[in-house]
Amino acid sequence: MNIVGITACPTGIAHTYMAQSALEKAGKKLGHKVMIETQGAMGIENELKKKQIESSDVVILAVGCAIEREERFNGKKILKVGVAEAISNPQKVLEQAEKLMTQEV
């Protein structure tokens, strides 16, 4: 699967990056391509390009606060989870994304 997503926590420091790392590592382990944009204290980092979003199978929003430019994902299958869930059980999050991908929008 080709997965894109955003991680963001209220303070935008540690948990944002921990969730990004956990999802990317679990994705690699499961054979998925995972690209994660972070939104936090430093603003938007690793900003997803339009082409990356368009070619994605599913979008994971691992967030604990409002994010910027969420409308970029209109029409895509979106899985919303908490930042803590992405950190503590990233494989489960990716399995949920796999199930979502097989469902009709």
Side-chain angles (χ1 to χ4, degrees):
M1 280 191 345
N2 189 12
I3 301 167
V4 296
I6 294 178
T7 59
C9 68
T11 55
I13 305 173
H15 291 105
T16 298
Y17 301 103
M18 290 167 65
Q20 173 197 22
S21 177
L23 289 170
E24 288 176 348
K25 284 180 185 176
K28 188 173 186 177
K29 182 179 177 183
L30 295 172
H32 301 308
K33 182 178 179 184
V34 180
M35 302 287 296
I36 301 292
E37 172 181 305
T38 58
Q39 293 189 15
M42 302 297 291
I44 295 175
E45 295 180 285
N46 304 315
E47 186 169 358
L48 294 168
K49 295 179 180 16
K50 185 177 179 180
K51 188 174 182 177
Q52 292 170 315
I53 295 168
E54 288 173 352
S55 67
S56 69
D57 298 307
V58 66
V59 177
I60 296 174
L61 301 179
V63 299
C65 58
I67 59 171
E68 295 182 41
R69 301 180 54 222
E70 188 172 347
E71 71 281 354
R72 296 177 287 168
F73 307 111
N74 288 346
K76 302 300 288 185
K77 293 181 181 186
I78 298 173
L79 175 64
K80 251 189 185 175
V81 298
V83 177
E85 186 176 357
I87 294 168
S88 64
N89 204 341
Q91 185 167 333
K92 181 181 175 188
V93 171
L94 292 172
E95 289 168 358
Q96 290 174 314
E98 289 171 349
K99 288 179 186 175
L100 179 63
M101 191 185 89
T102 62
Q103 297 173 357
E104 293 295 319
V105 176

